[in-house]
Amino acid sequence: GYLDDVELRFPKAFDGEISKHATKHKISPAWAQAIARRESSFMPDAQSGVGARGLMQIMPGTAKQLKRGKKVSRSYLFNAENNIKLGTKYLRVLLDKNKGNHVLATASYNAGPYRIKRWLRDAEPMPADIWIEAIPFQETRNYVKSVLAYQEIYQHQPTQVSSIFNDVIHMSIGK
């Protein structure tokens, strides 16, 4: 029965902090929550094999850029509030770089903005769902699909119909 327990499987950990910083950066709190869920399962002390740290798995170099050249310590990135602040700011940066396209911003968060730019360089326009399935990195392809699904869950309100997948269905990606 636990597989059907959405509240147990998808807790709204750090909800106050995520909502506060997501709202400040004008991004969806559900999107930030989905990223944190996928990146670290809400573990503030998570560290990836490539060096990403904290709840939203921020790379030290990215943190330094977001802090305008200031070096950022390990303990700073392992502090949930600081990590959420940087992670939501970075999501805003990626959303702006990708002209408001959440699918591309999500892929950029995982694979890096330069890879996405390279993938789009010669891409013919195609439906977003086809583009997602054609992402060359399986990790990023699965990441984008997971974040979209998690966002749908976190955004769900019993009296409202979500538009996340409707937007993706009607979205085109490419030149």
Side-chain angles (χ1 to χ4, degrees):
Y2 291 123
L3 290 177
D4 295 329
D5 190 337
V6 174
E7 288 182 17
L8 181 64
R9 291 185 60 213
F10 296 92
K12 287 193 169 188
F14 302 96
D15 190 37
E17 296 91 338
I18 289 174
S19 291
K20 176 176 81 174
H21 292 292
T23 301
K24 177 183 175 189
H25 295 294
K26 296 182 173 94
I27 64 168
S28 163
W31 183 38
Q33 197 94 31
I35 294 281
R37 164 69 163 72
R38 181 63 170 84
E39 287 290 343
S40 71
S41 297
F42 302 110
M43 293 176 15
D45 61 347
Q47 182 164 329
S48 76
V50 295
R53 297 184 179 129
L55 195 76
M56 296 189 76
Q57 291 291 279
I58 306 294
M59 292 294 288
T62 301
K64 186 176 178 181
Q65 284 179 325
L66 293 168
K67 297 282 289 175
R68 298 196 168 118
K70 294 180 187 170
K71 189 169 165 82
V72 178
S73 69
R74 288 174 52 96
S75 61
Y76 185 91
L77 287 176
F78 287 134
N79 174 284
E81 177 91 17
N82 296 335
N83 197 278
I84 292 165
K85 187 186 316 180
L86 291 177
T88 54
K89 182 176 183 177
Y90 190 45
L91 286 172
R92 177 78 251 171
V93 166
L94 293 174
L95 195 58
D96 290 344
K97 279 186 178 185
N98 288 287
K99 300 177 183 148
N101 187 308
H102 285 81
V103 170
L104 295 177
T106 300
S108 294
Y109 198 90
N110 179 261
Y114 301 106
R115 278 202 182 100
I116 304 310
K117 197 175 188 179
R118 193 169 54 233
W119 294 344
L120 292 173
R121 192 175 306 137
D122 300 320
E124 292 296 320
M126 67 182 76
D129 57 339
I130 303 296
W131 186 86
I132 292 167
E133 289 298 332
I135 292 173
F137 295 170
Q138 182 178 359
E139 177 190 335
T140 303
R141 186 178 335 120
N142 292 338
Y143 180 88
V144 170
K145 291 191 279 188
S146 294
V147 168
L148 286 170
Y150 297 168
Q151 185 178 354
E152 175 70 23
I153 291 165
Y154 285 120
Q155 187 171 300
H156 179 72
Q157 301 294 323
T159 59
Q160 296 176 338
V161 176
S162 173
S163 64
I164 293 168
F165 291 110
N166 192 44
D167 292 347
V168 171
I169 289 168
H170 293 96
M171 181 187 300
S172 180
I173 295 179
K175 287 184 179 181

mmCIF file of all heavy atoms in Angstrom, residues 71-90:
data_model
loop_
_atom_site.group_PDB
_atom_site.id
_atom_site.type_symbol
_atom_site.label_atom_id
_atom_site.label_comp_id
_atom_site.label_asym_id
_atom_site.label_seq_id
_atom_site.Cartn_x
_atom_site.Cartn_y
_atom_site.Cartn_z
ATOM 1 N N LYS A 71 33.864 32.727 -3.481
ATOM 2 C CA LYS A 71 34.039 31.302 -3.210
ATOM 3 C C LYS A 71 32.992 30.862 -2.187
ATOM 4 O O LYS A 71 32.659 31.597 -1.264
ATOM 5 C CB LYS A 71 35.444 31.043 -2.681
ATOM 6 C CG LYS A 71 35.780 29.573 -2.568
ATOM 7 C CD LYS A 71 37.263 29.412 -2.302
ATOM 8 C CE LYS A 71 37.583 28.044 -1.821
ATOM 9 N NZ LYS A 71 37.736 27.021 -2.730
ATOM 10 N N VAL A 72 32.472 29.651 -2.392
ATOM 11 C CA VAL A 72 31.428 29.116 -1.526
ATOM 12 C C VAL A 72 31.949 27.846 -0.846
ATOM 13 O O VAL A 72 32.448 26.948 -1.524
ATOM 14 C CB VAL A 72 30.145 28.807 -2.343
ATOM 15 C CG1 VAL A 72 29.076 28.221 -1.476
ATOM 16 C CG2 VAL A 72 29.642 30.077 -3.026
ATOM 17 N N SER A 73 31.844 27.789 0.459
ATOM 18 C CA SER A 73 32.368 26.645 1.209
ATOM 19 C C SER A 73 31.433 25.434 1.110
ATOM 20 O O SER A 73 30.262 25.559 0.772
ATOM 21 C CB SER A 73 32.537 27.027 2.683
ATOM 22 O OG SER A 73 31.263 27.202 3.290
ATOM 23 N N ARG A 74 31.996 24.282 1.443
ATOM 24 C CA ARG A 74 31.202 23.048 1.502
ATOM 25 C C ARG A 74 30.056 23.193 2.486
ATOM 26 O O ARG A 74 28.926 22.807 2.195
ATOM 27 C CB ARG A 74 32.076 21.867 1.936
ATOM 28 C CG ARG A 74 33.061 21.393 0.917
ATOM 29 C CD ARG A 74 33.989 20.319 1.494
ATOM 30 N NE ARG A 74 33.300 19.229 2.127
ATOM 31 C CZ ARG A 74 33.007 18.067 1.551
ATOM 32 N NH1 ARG A 74 33.374 17.866 0.312
ATOM 33 N NH2 ARG A 74 32.375 17.120 2.209
ATOM 34 N N SER A 75 30.360 23.753 3.662
ATOM 35 C CA SER A 75 29.324 23.877 4.693
ATOM 36 C C SER A 75 28.203 24.808 4.235
ATOM 37 O O SER A 75 27.041 24.587 4.569
ATOM 38 C CB SER A 75 29.922 24.365 6.020
ATOM 39 O OG SER A 75 30.514 25.630 5.875
ATOM 40 N N TYR A 76 28.535 25.822 3.448
ATOM 41 C CA TYR A 76 27.508 26.724 2.910
ATOM 42 C C TYR A 76 26.553 25.944 2.005
ATOM 43 O O TYR A 76 25.343 26.095 2.088
ATOM 44 C CB TYR A 76 28.164 27.873 2.140
ATOM 45 C CG TYR A 76 27.183 28.911 1.649
ATOM 46 C CD1 TYR A 76 26.862 30.011 2.425
ATOM 47 C CD2 TYR A 76 26.575 28.788 0.396
ATOM 48 C CE1 TYR A 76 25.955 30.968 1.983
ATOM 49 C CE2 TYR A 76 25.670 29.726 -0.052
ATOM 50 C CZ TYR A 76 25.364 30.808 0.743
ATOM 51 O OH TYR A 76 24.450 31.748 0.297
ATOM 52 N N LEU A 77 27.117 25.108 1.129
ATOM 53 C CA LEU A 77 26.279 24.337 0.201
ATOM 54 C C LEU A 77 25.502 23.229 0.896
ATOM 55 O O LEU A 77 24.449 22.813 0.405
ATOM 56 C CB LEU A 77 27.136 23.755 -0.930
ATOM 57 C CG LEU A 77 27.622 24.765 -1.954
ATOM 58 C CD1 LEU A 77 28.547 24.095 -2.961
ATOM 59 C CD2 LEU A 77 26.463 25.443 -2.655
ATOM 60 N N PHE A 78 25.981 22.739 2.010
ATOM 61 C CA PHE A 78 25.261 21.696 2.745
ATOM 62 C C PHE A 78 24.194 22.278 3.674
ATOM 63 O O PHE A 78 23.404 21.538 4.253
ATOM 64 C CB PHE A 78 26.224 20.802 3.521
ATOM 65 C CG PHE A 78 27.015 19.867 2.631
ATOM 66 C CD1 PHE A 78 28.380 19.719 2.792
ATOM 67 C CD2 PHE A 78 26.386 19.125 1.639
ATOM 68 C CE1 PHE A 78 29.105 18.844 1.989
ATOM 69 C CE2 PHE A 78 27.097 18.259 0.825
ATOM 70 C CZ PHE A 78 28.463 18.116 0.990
ATOM 71 N N ASN A 79 24.148 23.595 3.804
ATOM 72 C CA ASN A 79 23.082 24.247 4.554
ATOM 73 C C ASN A 79 21.857 24.324 3.636
ATOM 74 O O ASN A 79 21.925 24.909 2.547
ATOM 75 C CB ASN A 79 23.530 25.646 4.985
ATOM 76 C CG ASN A 79 22.423 26.429 5.651
ATOM 77 O OD1 ASN A 79 21.511 26.929 4.987
ATOM 78 N ND2 ASN A 79 22.506 26.541 6.963
ATOM 79 N N ALA A 80 20.750 23.721 4.050
ATOM 80 C CA ALA A 80 19.564 23.607 3.188
ATOM 81 C C ALA A 80 19.066 24.963 2.699
ATOM 82 O O ALA A 80 18.761 25.130 1.514
ATOM 83 C CB ALA A 80 18.459 22.851 3.913
ATOM 84 N N GLU A 81 18.970 25.922 3.596
ATOM 85 C CA GLU A 81 18.464 27.257 3.212
ATOM 86 C C GLU A 81 19.347 27.888 2.137
ATOM 87 O O GLU A 81 18.849 28.390 1.130
ATOM 88 C CB GLU A 81 18.395 28.160 4.439
ATOM 89 C CG GLU A 81 17.961 29.584 4.141
ATOM 90 C CD GLU A 81 16.463 29.809 4.240
ATOM 91 O OE1 GLU A 81 15.771 28.975 4.831
ATOM 92 O OE2 GLU A 81 16.005 30.827 3.706
ATOM 93 N N ASN A 82 20.653 27.841 2.326
ATOM 94 C CA ASN A 82 21.577 28.412 1.339
ATOM 95 C C ASN A 82 21.484 27.683 0.010
ATOM 96 O O ASN A 82 21.500 28.302 -1.055
ATOM 97 C CB ASN A 82 23.021 28.338 1.845
ATOM 98 C CG ASN A 82 23.254 29.175 3.079
ATOM 99 O OD1 ASN A 82 22.542 30.150 3.332
ATOM 100 N ND2 ASN A 82 24.242 28.794 3.870
ATOM 101 N N ASN A 83 21.407 26.370 0.067
ATOM 102 C CA ASN A 83 21.355 25.558 -1.140
ATOM 103 C C ASN A 83 20.070 25.832 -1.923
ATOM 104 O O ASN A 83 20.093 25.958 -3.146
ATOM 105 C CB ASN A 83 21.483 24.076 -0.770
ATOM 106 C CG ASN A 83 21.844 23.234 -1.955
ATOM 107 O OD1 ASN A 83 20.979 22.863 -2.727
ATOM 108 N ND2 ASN A 83 23.131 22.927 -2.095
ATOM 109 N N ILE A 84 18.967 25.937 -1.216
ATOM 110 C CA ILE A 84 17.686 26.245 -1.868
ATOM 111 C C ILE A 84 17.734 27.630 -2.495
ATOM 112 O O ILE A 84 17.249 27.843 -3.612
ATOM 113 C CB ILE A 84 16.523 26.111 -0.863
ATOM 114 C CG1 ILE A 84 16.337 24.645 -0.464
ATOM 115 C CG2 ILE A 84 15.236 26.701 -1.425
ATOM 116 C CD1 ILE A 84 15.469 24.435 0.769
ATOM 117 N N LYS A 85 18.321 28.583 -1.786
ATOM 118 C CA LYS A 85 18.447 29.950 -2.300
ATOM 119 C C LYS A 85 19.206 29.938 -3.630
ATOM 120 O O LYS A 85 18.775 30.544 -4.615
ATOM 121 C CB LYS A 85 19.187 30.813 -1.277
ATOM 122 C CG LYS A 85 19.231 32.281 -1.615
ATOM 123 C CD LYS A 85 20.099 33.099 -0.656
ATOM 124 C CE LYS A 85 19.896 32.762 0.791
ATOM 125 N NZ LYS A 85 20.742 33.567 1.696
ATOM 126 N N LEU A 86 20.338 29.225 -3.671
ATOM 127 C CA LEU A 86 21.130 29.152 -4.900
ATOM 128 C C LEU A 86 20.433 28.325 -5.975
ATOM 129 O O LEU A 86 20.451 28.693 -7.153
ATOM 130 C CB LEU A 86 22.512 28.570 -4.614
ATOM 131 C CG LEU A 86 23.458 29.440 -3.794
ATOM 132 C CD1 LEU A 86 24.760 28.698 -3.525
ATOM 133 C CD2 LEU A 86 23.731 30.767 -4.480
ATOM 134 N N GLY A 87 19.833 27.208 -5.580
ATOM 135 C CA GLY A 87 19.168 26.334 -6.550
ATOM 136 C C GLY A 87 18.009 27.021 -7.249
ATOM 137 O O GLY A 87 17.856 26.916 -8.473
ATOM 138 N N THR A 88 17.188 27.737 -6.489
ATOM 139 C CA THR A 88 16.049 28.432 -7.103
ATOM 140 C C THR A 88 16.534 29.602 -7.967
ATOM 141 O O THR A 88 15.956 29.867 -9.026
ATOM 142 C CB THR A 88 15.039 28.909 -6.044
ATOM 143 O OG1 THR A 88 15.702 29.700 -5.066
ATOM 144 C CG2 THR A 88 14.335 27.735 -5.389
ATOM 145 N N LYS A 89 17.596 30.249 -7.548
ATOM 146 C CA LYS A 89 18.171 31.333 -8.362
ATOM 147 C C LYS A 89 18.685 30.766 -9.684
ATOM 148 O O LYS A 89 18.479 31.351 -10.754
ATOM 149 C CB LYS A 89 19.301 32.024 -7.593
ATOM 150 C CG LYS A 89 19.919 33.194 -8.331
ATOM 151 C CD LYS A 89 20.970 33.885 -7.474
ATOM 152 C CE LYS A 89 21.542 35.099 -8.180
ATOM 153 N NZ LYS A 89 22.519 35.816 -7.325
ATOM 154 N N TYR A 90 19.354 29.608 -9.596
ATOM 155 C CA TYR A 90 19.885 28.981 -10.811
ATOM 156 C C TYR A 90 18.750 28.535 -11.743
ATOM 157 O O TYR A 90 18.853 28.691 -12.966
ATOM 158 C CB TYR A 90 20.784 27.807 -10.434
ATOM 159 C CG TYR A 90 21.563 27.230 -11.594
ATOM 160 C CD1 TYR A 90 22.218 28.047 -12.507
ATOM 161 C CD2 TYR A 90 21.661 25.857 -11.763
ATOM 162 C CE1 TYR A 90 22.942 27.519 -13.572
ATOM 163 C CE2 TYR A 90 22.386 25.318 -12.816
ATOM 164 C CZ TYR A 90 23.019 26.150 -13.710
ATOM 165 O OH TYR A 90 23.728 25.616 -14.761
#
